[in-house]
Amino acid sequence: MHGLINKAIQAFVKDTYGEERWQAVIDLAGLGFSEFEAMLIYPDEQSQKVLSAMETVLDRPLDEMLEDMGTFLVSNPQAEALRRLLRFGGVDYVEFLYSLDDLPDRARLAVADLHLPALELVEKGPGEFELICSKGLPGYANVMMGILRAMADDYGDLVILEHAGARENSDIIAVTHVESQFAEGRSFSLGAHSL
């Protein structure tokens, strides 16, 4: 698994649960190191050991934690680059949803060896969508659910999200777009800001 993904898991656990809990996770996983490098590729088994250890040490269902991690990736100021990548997908939430089909390719433009599973948006009716998340990364649909929730907040839109089961080699997220500009969204501009 790509180091950026492992590094995101590490940042989520450290920022949310603290350094000591991260160390307990990594000790239980028995990897022999405590920090992931963002640009290395790690064996999938190592990442699976970390995820299993997270569930044990943090005593929470992994699906819930991965959804929280998706929210963390959008809302944490240290992950502003990902938020910007997602916001470039559209001026409103519905345009953002339609841009998700291209997200794996946009991610590869940013990091050439980062291969995310395919996403496909299907419009079922006015304001009703299904996001089909191909399998390939553990908990991918859960992380996407958290990202979708955080991006709705980012745009200020009201949405209802639910896991709608699995089909063939994909997980399905049902998205109901209830209202645009339900609340004040976070500010965003296309230009980068310098400090």
Side-chain angles (χ1 to χ4, degrees):
M1 191 176 298
H2 199 285
L4 275 176
I5 295 169
N6 289 316
K7 194 78 171 167
I9 294 168
Q10 175 183 316
F12 166 70
V13 173
K14 280 184 165 184
D15 285 11
T16 306
Y17 298 97
E19 180 76 40
E20 287 181 18
R21 303 291 290 280
W22 170 250
Q23 196 56 55
V25 166
I26 213 70
D27 289 346
L28 182 60
L31 302 183
F33 57 88
S34 61
E35 301 286 325
F36 285 101
E37 295 294 328
M39 298 314 288
L40 295 180
I41 305 294
Y42 293 88
D44 289 346
E45 306 80 51
Q46 287 183 337
S47 303
Q48 288 289 3
K49 286 180 181 180
V50 169
L51 293 174
S52 295
M54 276 173 58
E55 196 166 27
T56 301
V57 169
L58 303 175
D59 195 28
R60 285 192 62 212
L62 185 58
D63 290 350
E64 287 179 14
M65 286 188 289
L66 291 175
E67 189 172 326
D68 288 349
M69 189 175 97
T71 301
F72 169 85
L73 290 172
V74 173
S75 59
N76 187 305
Q78 295 174 350
E80 184 65 22
L82 176 61
R83 176 182 175 247
R84 290 184 63 72
L85 178 71
L86 295 169
R87 281 297 294 255
F88 274 116
V91 295
D92 62 32
Y93 190 75
V94 173
E95 280 189 21
F96 157 73
L97 288 176
Y98 279 109
S99 77
L100 290 174
D101 290 4
D102 299 327
L103 182 61
D105 292 332
R106 281 187 283 144
R108 249 190 326 281
L109 284 174
V111 182
D113 57 351
L114 178 60
H115 299 283
L116 298 178
L119 296 167
E120 180 185 354
L121 186 75
V122 177
E123 185 172 1
K124 304 300 279 184
E128 302 283 332
F129 304 91
E130 283 185 348
L131 182 64
I132 302 167
C133 305
S134 296
K135 296 192 181 190
L137 286 175
Y140 186 53
N142 299 100
V143 173
M144 285 306 302
M145 185 95 136
I147 288 172
L148 291 173
R149 192 174 316 284
M151 289 303 293
D153 289 345
D154 206 78
Y155 282 103
D157 287 13
L158 178 62
V159 299
I160 298 170
L161 304 168
E162 65 177 294
H163 289 280
R167 202 178 303 146
E168 296 171 9
N169 198 31
S170 301
D171 292 313
I172 311 298
I173 299 172
V175 181
T176 303
H177 185 251
V178 178
E179 187 175 342
S180 293
Q181 299 176 343
F182 176 75
E184 186 175 341
R186 287 173 61 195
S187 64
F188 178 76
S189 68
L190 292 175
H193 300 286
S194 60
L195 299 176

